[in-house]
Amino acid sequence: MEQNQQPIGARLAEVRTQIDAAADNAGLSGDDVSLIAVSKTHPAEKIEQAIAAGQRHFGENRVQEAQQKWPALKEAHPDMVLHLIGGLQSNKVKDAVALFDVIHSVDRPKLARAIARHAEASGRSPRCFIQVNTGEEPQKGGVLPADVEALVTLCRDDLAMPLEGLMCIPPADEAAALHFAFLRTLAQRNGLKGLSMGMSGDYELAVEMGATHVRVGTAIFGPRGTLT
Ligand SMILES: *Cc1c(COP(=O)(O)O)cnc(C)c1O
């Protein structure tokens, strides 16, 4: 694949250009879209290349993997913003709160309470997104659409968490646009501005539909599980 032979800096610039063009198409500003470079499975050397190219937002999906790579990277580059985009187990909340700046996978009351408790104890309060299972897929994380409002109320009003918005991962076999539109509607209904949606295959569409955060891995770092 020719695109994956390019250096990471060139791929990042290409993705950024596409984001700006998509925003422009929709009468929006690319400046309002945070590009999260999803570095899961990729080694620190590749992350360093992205940082050297000016990238600041990174995403990881597993707490344990992030703990191996990120303390040193954060020490060397204190202005990086680290996003947890994968499911979070209750027994990893303390570590997640200590390491991540933003958590995109809040999806149940117990988890919200645990995050709030550890945030209070540590004085470190990650910004949060509520993950919504817009396709109501049994195997997928995320709160069901019918339960979004109650979870928003708990996080924002009762626990006073810094709640930025909603996140979704559309079903692989359905039109992503329907899910992006649905997520936007849910966010508007709940007075939330942030929309974490769009991956390598559909981030331009997500931006056109109002994404504020896109999570892009393969288009930047190449395929996972191979050396490139
Ligand atoms: C891996 C992952 C991504 C990035 O996927 P790509 O298709 O490689 O861009 C985005 N969001 C989540 C939640 C992920 O786990």
Side-chain angles (χ1 to χ4, degrees):
M1 296 215 288
E2 148 192 314
Q3 186 197 13
N4 291 325
Q5 322 244 305
Q6 288 173 0
I8 284 168
R11 286 183 234 159
L12 266 171
E14 172 65 18
V15 171
R16 194 71 243 180
T17 301
Q18 299 297 333
I19 289 171
D20 291 343
D24 214 46
N25 272 342
L28 302 167
S29 167
D31 294 347
D32 297 333
V33 182
S34 296
L35 168 58
I36 302 170
V38 177
S39 50
K40 65 189 187 195
T41 78
H42 296 293
E45 302 81 74
K46 291 177 83 172
I47 298 171
E48 287 280 7
Q49 289 174 40
I51 294 173
Q55 180 63 23
R56 278 188 67 235
H57 291 265
F58 289 88
E60 293 281 347
N61 70 332
R62 289 179 55 236
V63 175
Q64 219 171 342
E65 180 186 344
Q67 280 180 308
Q68 284 159 18
K69 293 191 291 195
W70 278 96
L73 286 163
K74 280 192 145 190
E75 172 103 21
H77 310 281
D79 56 337
M80 294 303 118
V81 182
L82 191 58
H83 299 252
L84 177 63
I85 60 170
L88 180 56
Q89 295 167 327
S90 296
N91 63 352
K92 294 274 168 55
V93 170
K94 187 177 183 192
D95 293 336
V97 166
L99 183 61
F100 287 92
D101 303 293
V102 189
I103 296 175
H104 292 239
S105 49
V106 180
D107 66 356
R108 55 199 191 274
K110 186 177 171 219
L111 178 61
R113 287 201 179 86
I115 292 171
R117 195 166 59 242
H118 287 292
E120 164 131 46
S122 67
R124 236 187 146 267
S125 202
R127 302 190 294 284
C128 288
F129 285 80
I130 289 175
Q131 181 176 350
V132 185
N133 189 352
T134 56
E136 307 201 20
E137 297 173 280
Q139 82 284 8
K140 207 171 256 179
V143 64
L144 292 173
D147 298 329
V148 168
E149 191 177 334
L151 190 54
V152 168
T153 302
L154 173 70
C155 291
R156 184 179 53 198
D157 304 337
D158 302 347
L159 299 171
M161 292 164 74
L163 184 62
E164 294 225 328
L166 304 180
M167 177 272 221
C168 78
I169 307 170
D173 56 351
E174 289 182 26
L178 295 175
H179 294 270
F180 295 160
F182 185 37
L183 195 72
R184 184 176 60 191
T185 301
L186 288 172
Q188 277 167 352
R189 205 179 279 164
N190 285 283
L192 293 168
K193 293 213 162 60
L195 286 171
S196 170
M197 56 190 199
M199 312 185 0
S200 289
D202 53 23
Y203 68 88
E204 294 107 320
L205 176 65
V207 168
E208 284 177 10
M209 301 189 71
T212 59
H213 295 69
V214 292
R215 313 175 307 264
V216 180
T218 310
I220 295 169
F221 292 107
R224 286 181 283 276
T226 59
L227 297 172
T228 52

